Amino acid sequence: MSSGERMDFLNIYLISIASISFGHILAELLNQTNLINLIGKKTSKISKIGIHPLLSTIPALYLVSPRLAHTTASSLLKNNVINEFDLFIAVLASNFPLRLMYVYKYYLPVLVPLLGVVALYFIGLRIIFDIILLFVVMIIGRKNYANINNTNTYDNNNVNNNTANNNDINIIFSKEIIKNGLIKGLNSSLNFAKTFTPVFLIVVFLIKFGIMDKLSIVMTPILKHLGLDSMGITYITTAILTPRVAYGMANVMLGYNYSIMTVLGCMFIGNGLFVLVYEWWSRLLPYYYGLYPKKTALKLIFIQAFMPASYNLLLGILLLKI
């Protein structure tokens, strides 16, 4: 079928907004009740194995704010109390608890209602990569930091000291807390809708006026050997612009009885190309360059963008070929 044939854009839009709104509200409730801090504490313990003692709070900070985590690590690096290797190990170890946070903050409340069992396969296959990295990091880190005193501190790193001393987490449930969580979740949903809607309309425009079909024609020589038709190629070209809009199209593909392998393959290839074509230079590059030396920033981009993108592309191709 052609990319514009009988596609219910309003239904895709409403399902996407409703699913993501539910996810934002759930995330705010977890945050307001301190459940997210409890989960963060539990998951960060996994990653502390094999991390430099001065960076042991980075996984927990990643769950609160990756920007805060990188700001903390950058300060330590600039003061020469850690080196590049220590930084890379901590960042790689932090990816696993961060992925778990995405699972219960976005994937489970948003993708599962939207895509069902396909979302569960998608989540599992994405976590495998982070588990492998964590396992490698644990082996390398434990070997390198075995003789480092875990009581070492860095006086100027107040964030680490405060986080380390905050051992008691009180779970709070009250009408006011739930009300605040709902309000903040709805506000976050509204902010998301403000950015999501224009991009969605652009995609609708591209599809309705056949521009996506033209892009599909351009990409066909590259993707034709993977056995994709116009819908699959349209999914991938849409994912390059915004994977979240493409997830709505994945729901449409399932409605047209595309196989699970085909949908998963398109999802992974789309995510990989999104990172390679757009995300690494528009989001990661400016931020990393502002915090770290240029060579360190480029290495971080390779670790945080090119490595997972390569995994997504290779896995997507494998799924389509099975």
Side-chain angles (χ1 to χ4, degrees):
M1 58 170 282
S2 65
S3 60
E5 180 184 347
R6 292 187 178 182
M7 190 176 293
D8 190 345
F9 294 108
L10 179 60
N11 187 50
I12 296 173
Y13 177 81
L14 293 177
I15 290 176
S16 299
I17 292 294
S19 299
I20 292 168
S21 296
F22 177 76
H24 280 301
I25 291 171
L26 178 60
E28 285 298 339
L29 289 174
L30 288 172
N31 184 50
Q32 293 292 318
T33 57
N34 279 338
L35 283 171
I36 192 170
N37 293 329
L38 179 63
I39 297 171
K41 181 181 178 181
K42 298 298 183 182
T43 55
S44 66
K45 288 180 179 179
I46 300 173
S47 294
K48 285 181 181 178
I49 303 173
I51 297 178
H52 191 288
L54 294 178
L55 294 171
S56 62
T57 59
I58 293 300
L61 292 177
Y62 242 89
L63 295 178
V64 177
S65 169
R67 291 179 180 272
L68 177 60
H70 279 289
T71 301
T72 303
S74 173
S75 175
L76 294 170
L77 185 65
K78 288 177 181 177
N79 285 280
N80 296 318
V81 293
I82 63 168
N83 56 38
E84 273 191 352
F85 176 83
D86 302 325
L87 171 67
F88 299 153
I89 289 292
V91 169
L92 285 171
S94 300
N95 286 337
F96 179 68
L98 185 63
R99 180 68 63 197
L100 291 182
M101 185 190 73
Y102 284 159
V103 167
Y104 59 73
K105 183 178 180 181
Y106 178 73
Y107 291 156
L108 289 179
V110 177
L111 284 189
V112 172
L114 191 65
L115 301 177
V117 68
V118 173
L120 298 178
Y121 286 128
F122 181 71
I123 291 168
L125 290 171
R126 292 205 70 173
I127 287 179
I128 287 175
F129 178 72
D130 297 302
I131 291 175
I132 293 173
L133 284 180
L134 178 63
F135 181 73
V136 173
V137 163
M138 287 170 59
I139 294 175
I140 297 175
R142 291 183 69 177
K143 180 179 179 181
N144 282 273
Y145 303 131
N147 298 321
I148 294 181
N149 185 358
N150 286 322
T151 61
N152 286 345
T153 59
Y154 176 53
D155 293 338
N156 292 330
N157 190 10
N158 293 325
V159 177
N160 277 357
N161 291 333
N162 291 337
T163 304
N165 292 330
N166 186 21
N167 293 320
D168 297 326
I169 297 176
N170 296 321
I171 306 302
I172 306 171
F173 285 102
S174 69
K175 291 182 179 180
E176 189 66 23
I177 290 293
I178 294 175
K179 178 181 177 181
N180 289 337
L182 289 172
I183 292 174
K184 290 186 177 182
L186 290 173
N187 286 334
S188 297
S189 301
L190 180 60
N191 291 331
F192 169 80
K194 289 178 180 178
T195 57
F196 176 83
T197 301
V199 176
F200 185 85
L201 291 175
I202 291 173
V203 172
V204 172
F205 174 84
L206 293 175
I207 294 175
K208 283 289 188 180
F209 288 88
I211 298 175
M212 275 297 192
D213 287 333
K214 293 179 181 178
L215 288 175
S216 298
I217 292 173
V218 172
M219 296 191 67
T220 296
I222 303 173
L223 299 174
K224 66 179 181 179
H225 297 297
L226 300 179
L228 293 175
D229 60 9
S230 61
M231 176 62 82
I233 297 174
T234 299
Y235 176 96
I236 292 173
T237 53
T238 301
I240 292 174
L241 297 175
T242 168
R244 290 191 176 187
V245 174
Y247 292 150
M249 293 186 62
N251 179 270
V252 175
M253 293 177 70
L254 292 173
Y256 279 96
N257 296 319
Y258 280 77
S259 70
I260 291 178
M261 291 297 184
T262 298
V263 175
L264 284 172
C266 289
M267 290 174 71
F268 278 104
I269 291 175
N271 279 16
L273 289 177
F274 171 73
V275 173
L276 293 179
V277 174
Y278 174 74
E279 189 175 43
W280 77 267
W281 61 267
S282 66
R283 297 181 182 179
L284 296 182
L285 185 63
Y287 180 66
Y288 285 164
Y289 259 47
L291 283 176
Y292 299 106
K294 291 182 178 179
K295 290 184 178 180
T296 303
L298 290 175
K299 292 174 184 177
L300 276 174
I301 289 171
F302 175 80
I303 290 173
Q304 293 294 82
F306 293 159
M307 280 177 53
S310 298
Y311 170 78
N312 284 338
L313 288 173
L314 291 174
L315 181 57
I317 293 171
L318 178 63
L319 289 169
L320 291 176
K321 289 295 185 180
I322 293 178

